[in-house]
Every structure is written in C-alpha cells, then in structure tokens.
Amino acid sequence: DASNYYALKISNITSSPFYHSLLYTTCDKPQYFFAFFFLWLNYLLLALVTIIFCLLSNQIIVKWMIPSISVLFTFSLSWQMQTANGQYYFQLAFLIAVVIYGIWRNTRSWDVVSGVCLACLVLIKPTALILAIAFFFVFMRRKSFIFSCSALLIVYGFFVFTSPFQLSLWEEYLAAI
C-alpha cells in the first residue's frame, strides 16, 4: 500500500540490552577500533569454532574437511558481509560450540561452563531460548548444567526486574522486535 508507506515501522534492533551492556565498557572508543576489533574477533572465533568441532570429530577425513571448509568460508560473500557489517553471529556460534563441547566432555566443570555459555547465548539472542529448552530436555539428568544455566538466568532476571533502567531497556527491546 503506497499510501501507508511512511506509517510502516521497521525495527533494526538485533542486539539485546545484555549484549549492549557487555560492550558498554568500550563505548567511548572510536569506530575504527570496533571495526578492527570485530575483524580479528571474527577470525579468532572462526578458528576456535573450527578447533572445537575438530576435537569433536573421530574421523580423520572430517578433521581435514572442517578446517578446509572454514578456510573456504572466509572467501565467501557471507564472511565479507559478516566482517564488514560487524555482525555477531560468530560469537553466537562460538557459544553454541562451547555448549556442545562441554556437554560432550561430560564432566561437572564443563557442564557449568556449558550452562553459563547457554545462559549468555539466551541473554544475547533471546530466540535461542528454543535451543536452551531443547538442551534442557535432552540433558535433564545433568544437574550442574541445568543449575548453572538456570541460576545465571534467574540472577540476571532478578537484576533486570529490580533495576528500573534495565527493565526499561528490556521493555523497549521487546516492544521493538
């Protein structure tokens, strides 16, 4: 409808207030600092995700394919747009990889690390709650995983509900998406 064109409200909010609070300590830095930082962060996280998935693999052919695909991915338009626009998808991929690796390790300390990473993933990208629910159902017997993730989410939720500023940020975020 061309007559209603200017009434359309489009939201470009993709980052949660939790993610913004993580970046708050560096907000006084110039833009070129962020461009440089996110460029190297993306390469570092791609390398770490590649290493994690190589560690998860048992087959030698797969251990060769994972780095090969990672290197080829850096030549793709997706990688170029990811780094040029400063998107944070590899940060999410890294958190998911750590969760999977921690659960695969099957130790109490890695369960806690996995739980904290899953909670951070949900706080950074609230739609990841669907993934968290799936992990909860599959790994229900891993009490330290469930407890660490739930405890972090509950403590942060308490902090949000007791801080009027944080509550207003989350209300604005949820209204905009």
Side-chain angles (χ1 to χ4, degrees), residues 19 41 46 51 73 77 99 113 129 131 139 155 161 175:
Y19 186 71
L41 182 65
L46 177 64
I51 290 168
F73 182 69
L77 183 62
V99 169
V113 170
L129 186 62
L131 183 67
F139 299 103
V155 167
F161 285 114

Side-chain angles (χ1 to χ4, degrees), residues 42 74 76-89:
N42 279 334
T74 61
S76 70
L77 183 62
S78 299
W79 178 259
Q80 292 171 8
M81 297 306 293
Q82 159 89 10
T83 55
N85 295 334
Q87 297 174 337
Y88 62 90
Y89 296 115

